[in-house]
Amino acid sequence: MELLCRICGEPLQPENDMGVCECENCGSRQTFPVNFSDEQLDIFNNARRLRQKTDFEGAERLLSKLSSECPDEPESYWELLLCRCGIVYEDSEGSPVKIPVCHRVSINAVGEDLDFLTAIAYAADEQKDVYCREAAAIDILRSEFAERVGNGERYDVFMCSADSEKGSTIASEIYEQLCKEGFSVFFAQRTVGDVRGKTAEIYINAAISSAETLIVVSSGADDFAEKHLKSLWSRCVSALHKDSRKLLITCISNVADGDIPHELADYPVRDINRIGAVSEIIRLIRRKDSNDGGESCGSASARTTPEKLIRRMNIFLADEDFEAAEEYCGIILDASPMCWQAHWGRFLAFNGCRNNGDLLLEEVVDSFADDYIVNFGFDFAEDEVFGRQLAQLLGESPRKALEYAQDEEKVKLTTVYERFVNAVRDAVFAKEQEKIDGEEKLELENIRRQHEEDEERRNAAQQKKQDIRNRFLAYAAVIFTVLIVLFVKFHFIWAAVLIIIMIVITVLVLGGLSSRD
């Protein structure tokens, strides 16, 4: 199996197994692998071809596989370093010798690179000499390259999309929103403008290396396979493998889960058509910045002014996205524990209030009053006692907000808080009066009902007496009629006696029925 020259691409003819030889075609002195099998050597040659075509991601994938299969071969690590620095050997005007050209920015010096150090560790003495000499030359190129692209310029977010109109539109909307949030965003179509070709690639590679967050935008399943975008997202994945602290987010529109490349599917994916998707992306970036150490890391959250974060928190409150508002409060407080607006915003969000005005809404005040009654009842004699007990119920957020606010802000916040406390106290008092009035009303209702029941019983008894009287008079009338007929017509003396007795009985019965209970 032939071995291709690193510089000119022609076959090498090594005369020993020391790992160093000269190319008969270009005359360059270079290292070569001695531990690869024929199959692995074929893969190695393919990686070199890809690198020379500037397909650094494809070359890195092959070389990473080789380094895992044959970990003691230094040449695979050296080629990985060349890919990371974007080294391609190109013709030079007026000279037959090809010279190295740098297409990528490596943040660290070559001598600090892990692959370089690994290659040196496994290399023979002669190989080490070649590696060190070439490393010095590459480091000069790297430094010059970094200076050309703006040495020290770093981005919070690198974003890429396909060149389609829809993809660019979606990416531009995300770009603008991130910029409003105070992030430093690299989006080639906006950042480098009309710059194209190798020069644009210089800036792109530098941005990928420096950015803490990498965002890939796809407006369709075919976008992922588009040559330009595939190259970009491959570089993003590669950068993440080298630095696990980076965050990679894929934003999709009209893309099924199965159409997302597996290299990207393992990381956060957000459907940009979902309501609140951009806000969720911002929260992911903020959370990463917070986890990375906030200001000490020089992250976006440290460079973003608190006013912007507070404004965003207030937007979430106004939109009634209280969960997002609480999360933003936490982010602000992680960086600035004495920010009174964040403490107060957390209090508002926790209680479902959009602003200070909502605190004085009847339903909100009544809710706090009900909570107070459940916990402390109606028993409070002084305003101070009530204020202390209510503060205990509200938690520490309002207390800290009042403690940390200063000057005019403190006066305004104190006024709002006192109005709120007075409103809750009045509501508790009103509910106590309602309770008292309800108890009195219930007692009066019981008395009225008892009176009606007594009246009904009396009426029923009176009606019963009236029915008895009527029946008695009817019976008595019949008896009197019979006795009178017997006495008058038949002259029965005993009939007269019975008539007298009936008169006495009738008088007694009617007198008894007429008496009240």
Side-chain angles (χ1 to χ4, degrees):
M1 174 64 67
E2 290 183 335
L3 174 63
L4 299 182
C5 174
R6 173 189 303 144
I7 296 172
C8 68
E10 294 298 320
L12 286 175
Q13 301 294 333
E15 296 178 356
N16 55 57
D17 58 356
M18 300 301 294
V20 178
C21 69
E22 287 187 5
C23 176
E24 294 180 356
N25 182 64
C26 65
S28 63
R29 183 173 174 80
Q30 61 185 278
T31 56
F32 65 89
V34 295
N35 297 314
F36 286 152
S37 64
D38 287 348
E39 183 181 352
Q40 290 170 334
L41 196 58
D42 185 42
I43 296 174
F44 184 76
N45 284 334
N46 287 334
R48 279 195 165 172
R49 293 189 188 97
L50 291 174
R51 176 180 55 77
Q52 195 65 23
K53 293 177 181 178
T54 69
D55 185 359
F56 303 114
E57 295 76 30
E60 283 188 75
R61 283 195 293 272
L62 296 178
L63 293 167
S64 296
K65 179 182 178 183
L66 284 177
S67 62
S68 62
E69 291 180 356
C70 189
D72 57 349
E73 174 53 61
E75 196 67 4
S76 58
Y77 300 106
W78 177 254
E79 284 286 333
L80 277 169
L81 171 65
L82 295 182
C83 290
R84 184 166 305 113
C85 294
I87 298 297
V88 172
Y89 294 88
E90 299 180 355
D91 293 326
S92 176
E93 244 182 77
S95 172
V97 179
K98 290 180 178 286
I99 62 171
V101 177
C102 185
H103 289 262
R104 284 182 168 186
V105 168
S106 176
I107 299 301
N108 298 321
V110 175
E112 300 174 359
D113 188 275
L114 180 60
D115 286 324
F116 171 74
L117 296 174
T118 306
I120 291 295
Y122 288 114
D125 291 339
E126 289 189 42
Q127 287 179 309
K128 287 180 184 178
D129 292 339
V130 176
Y131 288 149
C132 290
R133 186 179 65 251
E134 291 192 19
I138 291 172
D139 211 24
I140 294 173
L141 291 174
R142 183 196 66 83
S143 299
E144 293 175 350
F145 181 86
E147 188 175 348
R148 285 170 56 200
V149 300
N151 191 22
E153 183 176 1
R154 301 177 66 85
Y155 293 93
D156 299 320
V157 179
F158 170 84
M159 187 166 61
C160 60
S161 71
D163 290 329
S164 65
E165 181 179 352
K166 185 175 181 181
S168 298
T169 300
I170 294 173
S172 294
E173 292 174 356
I174 299 173
Y175 170 85
E176 290 172 0
Q177 188 61 50
L178 293 176
C179 289
K180 288 180 182 178
E181 291 297 319
F183 293 107
S184 174
V185 184
F186 182 95
F187 179 41
Q189 294 164 329
R190 296 290 192 92
T191 309
V192 297
D194 296 330
V195 178
R196 292 290 183 269
K198 292 181 179 179
T199 304
E201 288 298 306
I202 290 173
Y203 291 100
I204 289 171
N205 290 323
I208 292 175
S209 297
S210 69
E212 297 289 337
T213 300
L214 310 170
I215 297 179
V216 178
V217 180
S218 173
S219 60
D222 294 338
D223 283 1
F224 290 115
E226 194 230 5
K227 183 178 180 181
H228 175 65
L229 181 59
K230 183 176 181 180
S231 173
L232 292 176
W233 66 251
S234 297
R235 283 181 246 177
C236 290
V237 173
S238 178
L240 190 66
H241 288 165
K242 296 183 184 74
D243 185 356
S244 60
R245 293 172 299 176
K246 291 182 182 291
L247 171 66
L248 175 60
I249 304 173
T250 303
C251 299
I252 59 173
S253 175
N254 302 318
V255 177
D257 291 343
D259 293 328
I260 302 172
H262 67 87
E263 295 94 337
L264 297 172
D266 292 336
Y267 304 103
V269 177
R270 295 294 180 268
D271 186 345
I272 208 66
N273 294 323
R274 250 186 350 103
I275 296 175
V278 176
S279 298
E280 190 173 350
I281 291 168
I282 293 171
R283 289 201 295 276
L284 282 173
I285 300 173
R286 297 286 188 210
R287 186 183 298 119
K288 180 199 176 300
D289 289 338
S290 177
N291 292 339
D292 285 347
E295 296 181 7
S296 63
C297 292
S299 63
S301 61
R303 291 191 296 274
T304 304
T305 59
E307 287 75 13
K308 290 183 178 180
L309 295 178
I310 292 169
R311 184 164 63 250
R312 191 65 187 169
M313 174 194 74
N314 289 330
I315 290 173
F316 284 128
L317 286 173
D319 291 343
E320 299 184 13
D321 190 350
F322 300 119
E323 182 180 350
E326 279 198 77
E327 187 170 351
Y328 253 66
C329 291
I331 293 170
I332 296 171
L333 292 174
D334 285 341
S336 181
M338 297 179 67
C339 178
W340 72 267
Q341 295 96 329
H343 286 292
W344 188 253
R346 174 175 281 178
F347 168 63
L348 293 176
F350 181 76
N351 292 287
C353 296
R354 298 166 297 178
N355 49 45
N356 292 339
D358 279 4
L359 279 175
L360 300 177
L361 293 175
E362 183 178 353
E363 59 269 24
V364 176
V365 172
D366 283 347
S367 175
F368 280 107
D370 290 336
D371 290 343
Y372 181 91
I373 292 168
V374 169
N375 286 275
F376 303 105
F378 296 101
D379 186 19
F380 60 90
E382 300 177 358
D383 290 347
E384 183 179 350
V385 175
F386 175 79
R388 187 167 59 250
Q389 291 176 338
L390 181 61
Q392 180 182 341
L393 179 66
L394 298 179
E396 66 176 10
S397 291
R399 177 182 62 77
K400 287 188 174 181
L402 291 166
E403 178 183 349
Y404 297 141
Q406 296 179 353
D407 303 328
E408 185 178 350
E409 294 174 339
K410 188 178 185 69
V411 174
K412 291 180 180 179
L413 186 63
T414 301
T415 301
V416 170
Y417 183 74
E418 288 178 351
R419 288 180 60 194
F420 167 70
V421 171
N422 290 334
V424 175
R425 191 180 194 283
D426 291 344
V428 173
F429 179 76
K431 289 179 180 293
E432 183 181 24
Q433 289 301 117
E434 288 177 5
K435 181 183 177 184
I436 293 173
D437 293 344
E439 290 174 349
E440 291 179 351
K441 184 177 180 181
L442 181 61
E443 185 176 356
L444 290 175
E445 182 66 22
N446 289 336
I447 294 173
R448 184 189 62 78
R449 188 168 56 252
Q450 185 66 39
H451 175 74
E452 290 178 352
E453 290 175 356
D454 292 343
E455 188 68 24
E456 288 177 359
R457 284 197 297 270
R458 286 195 295 272
N459 291 337
Q462 192 66 27
Q463 184 64 42
K464 186 175 181 180
K465 288 182 179 181
Q466 186 65 38
D467 292 341
I468 293 173
R469 181 187 295 111
N470 291 338
R471 285 196 296 272
F472 176 79
L473 290 176
Y475 295 149
V478 173
I479 294 172
F480 273 120
T481 299
V482 172
L483 292 175
I484 290 172
V485 170
L486 292 175
F487 176 74
V488 173
K489 188 173 182 178
F490 297 103
H491 304 290
F492 290 156
I493 299 301
W494 56 267
V497 175
L498 292 175
I499 289 173
I500 295 171
I501 293 172
M502 279 298 300
I503 291 172
V504 174
I505 293 172
T506 300
V507 171
L508 293 173
V509 170
L510 293 177
L513 292 174
S514 298
S515 64
R516 291 184 175 273
D517 293 338

